[in-house]
Amino acid sequence: MLNFDFHNPTQIVFGKNRIADIGKLVPADAKVLILVGGASAEKTGTLGEVREALGARPNSTFNGIEPNPSFETVMKAVEQVREGDFNFLLAVGGGSVIDAAKFIAAAVPFEGDPWTILLKRGSNIKSALPFGTVLTLPATGSEMNNGSVITRRDIGAKLPFRSRHVFPLFSVLDPTKTYTLPTQQIANGVVDAFVHTVEQYLTYPVNAPVQDRFAESLLQTLVEVGPRLLSATEPDYDDRASLMWTATLALNGLIGAGVPQDWATHMIGHELTALHNIDHARTLAIVLPSMLNERRVQKHHKLLQYGERVWGIQSGTDDERITAAIDKTRDFFERMGIPTRLSAYGLAADAIDVVIRQLEEHGMTKLSERGDVTPEVSRRVLEAAL
Ligand code: NZQ
Ligand code: ZN
């Protein structure tokens, strides 16, 4: 096992009817700016419940954080916080609203140009406003981690940052708040959580059996509940709860502690979202199967373990078993209604050059757990995903 630090200060408040607890979690003297996306939080009644829970605390709402939140939008919120002297943020939404909250929290007290937070991947953040979250879309794990991804539309750059200062203080996870999600977003959530787990598990062995088995249990749970979530005519509380907790555990630092991590699929996926506005999880479903195939030698041992423990593949030569494991992965995404080819989005070979240029532009030239995913390798992965 590799050396590691593990620190996760976010309080999770899980279950039905837990939004009222916000009244106890937000400091009594807070002046709160609530952050929401489009219309969903208002329409579903969640925003109303949040306002009620805040009681007499002065509060206002910043509306309009878009999926894949933009630097342009979050900077408007930064202005509102500064002008209104708000001292607490409350994000109500999915990964986009929570990621936006993290950037806003860090940018408000930041001295200098906040764009450099992204250029320096968060290493220059010295403090941040406190914030809590109410999760309405299980997928990204942002509710219990210190990472965030912000897009600058004018230059088509979608860049991640992280900082120990931007862990949420608390996150309310009420599975019933997911009942209003369109099927497509549920499928996105399953696939995003699946790929987060794979990025931290499917690398090379370092004798970390606990992390491996944790990761395998998350993958098995997603394989089990994913199709049921899609076919259910009425939302099933327990399956929603399983998805919510699985997605949180997939990216709260636990399974990634002490093991090598990949993230090449995510970095290529971010470029596809920035350039073509494809949902985050959908970009991962395009890239991952061909990435696993491209790197089947480097990931040989773990691919065999994954095939056997997650998919029950026990017979055949090593090569056959690895191919079967990758096929099962692709088939799972397709069964979730998520295409695994660029052509499904009308993209052909001529789209690849720009993606590669953007990867180079953003310093993404030595990706993966071994740093061996060069632009040339990324090109082959995308070509195989046509
Ligand atoms: O905008 P509203 O009207 O709220 O609608 C949203 C949005 O259109 C809707 N929605 C959310 N909860 C709902 C709901 N609709 C009905 N009922 C509800 N309960 O869902 C749509 C998508 O929301 P979004 O927040 O964009 O989705 P997701 O949670 O998948 O977040 C994606 C973003 O997170 C980043 C992605 O790159 C992307 O920008 N990620 C963040 C990570 C992190 N911080 O650790 C890691 C991930 O790998 C990922 O990169
Ligand atoms: Zn993701």
Side-chain angles (χ1 to χ4, degrees):
M1 198 184 298
L2 309 178
N3 290 359
F4 66 88
D5 282 13
F6 178 69
H7 172 74
N8 193 314
T10 302
Q11 178 175 348
I12 295 296
V13 182
F14 195 99
K16 290 177 190 167
N17 304 317
R18 301 305 305 275
I19 287 182
D21 286 46
I22 288 174
K24 291 180 275 178
L25 296 163
V26 176
D29 59 353
K31 182 173 182 189
V32 184
L33 186 63
I34 304 169
L35 306 166
V36 296
S40 83
E42 175 107 59
K43 223 163 59 190
T44 58
T46 304
L47 183 58
E49 282 180 55
V50 166
R51 286 193 181 123
E52 197 180 317
L54 285 174
R57 294 173 187 83
N59 66 81
S60 194
T61 304
F62 181 89
N63 225 298
I65 293 165
E66 60 279 71
N68 311 303
S70 71
F71 180 73
E72 293 80 352
T73 300
V74 290
M75 284 311 294
K76 286 186 195 147
V78 169
E79 234 169 82
Q80 186 170 338
V81 174
R82 285 179 178 156
E83 278 171 12
D85 267 334
F86 293 96
N87 57 15
F88 198 94
L89 306 176
L90 195 49
V92 182
S96 293
V97 177
I98 299 174
D99 280 8
K102 292 175 181 176
F103 186 85
I104 298 159
V108 166
F110 190 77
E111 288 171 20
D113 178 2
W115 175 239
T116 62
I117 291 176
L118 290 162
L119 293 180
K120 293 196 182 294
R121 304 289 191 264
S123 62
N124 51 352
I125 296 173
K126 295 203 175 70
S127 65
L129 287 186
F131 67 97
T133 90
V134 176
L135 182 68
T136 64
L137 197 179
T140 66
S142 189
E143 65 279 6
M144 199 181 178
N145 69 35
N146 64 348
S148 161
V149 196
I150 300 292
T151 299
R152 183 136 173 187
R153 304 245 184 263
D154 56 347
I155 53 170
K158 184 171 185 191
L159 300 178
F161 76 93
R162 59 182 59 249
S163 161
R164 66 187 178 85
H165 299 289
V166 298
F167 278 103
L169 192 63
F170 64 82
S171 283
V172 179
L173 274 55
D174 178 344
T176 68
K177 295 297 158 203
T178 71
Y179 287 3
T180 52
L181 280 170
T183 314
Q184 176 176 330
Q185 292 297 349
I186 302 261
N188 283 358
V190 170
V191 169
D192 196 17
F194 192 94
V195 182
H196 291 161
T197 310
V198 165
E199 299 269 33
Q200 300 162 91
Y201 160 74
L202 237 169
T203 56
Y204 55 86
V206 290
N207 284 324
V210 172
Q211 291 90 325
D212 279 3
R213 292 199 165 92
F214 254 129
E216 286 152 2
S217 73
L218 299 179
L219 295 172
Q220 285 169 322
T221 303
L222 293 167
V223 170
E224 191 181 309
V225 302
R228 274 211 307 263
L229 286 163
L230 284 201
S231 61
T233 42
E234 291 295 321
D236 178 87
Y237 178 79
D238 290 320
D239 282 350
R240 296 294 174 127
S242 290
L243 173 61
M244 204 164 217
W245 191 221
T246 303
T248 301
L249 288 170
L251 199 50
N252 71 348
L254 187 66
I255 62 167
V259 296
Q261 302 192 15
D262 184 338
W263 299 108
T265 294
H266 265 71
M267 294 310 126
I268 299 173
H270 288 167
E271 303 298 352
L272 288 172
T273 299
L275 291 165
H276 301 289
N277 206 24
I278 303 171
D279 288 355
H280 170 65
R282 288 169 180 257
T283 65
L284 308 177
I286 296 167
V287 179
L288 185 72
S290 55
M291 178 66 79
L292 294 180
N293 192 43
E294 168 69 33
R295 301 192 66 240
R296 55 195 291 148
V297 173
Q298 295 90 329
K299 291 180 183 289
H300 182 94
H301 185 93
K302 277 306 209 40
L303 274 165
L304 287 174
Q305 182 179 321
Y306 164 71
E308 181 171 346
R309 295 196 191 166
V310 177
W311 297 110
I313 300 165
Q314 287 178 337
S315 60
T317 62
D318 281 9
D319 242 22
E320 285 165 354
R321 287 160 63 186
I322 287 173
T323 300
I326 297 170
D327 288 349
K328 288 270 187 195
T329 310
R330 184 185 293 284
D331 174 63
F332 176 57
F333 296 161
E334 297 274 355
R335 278 191 291 132
M336 293 304 295
I338 302 210
T340 58
R341 297 281 175 194
L342 284 163
S343 52
Y345 301 93
L347 296 176
D350 59 350
I352 295 176
D353 273 348
V354 192
V355 179
I356 302 302
R357 257 205 316 278
Q358 292 287 82
L359 282 169
E360 286 169 340
E361 180 87 5
H362 301 142
M364 307 291 178
T365 54
K366 288 183 181 166
L367 299 172
S368 92
E369 69 274 16
R370 293 196 186 274
D372 58 358
V373 175
T374 59
E376 262 328 290
V377 177
S378 297
R379 178 185 295 283
R380 284 204 298 274
V381 167
L382 289 168
E383 282 168 355
L386 284 168

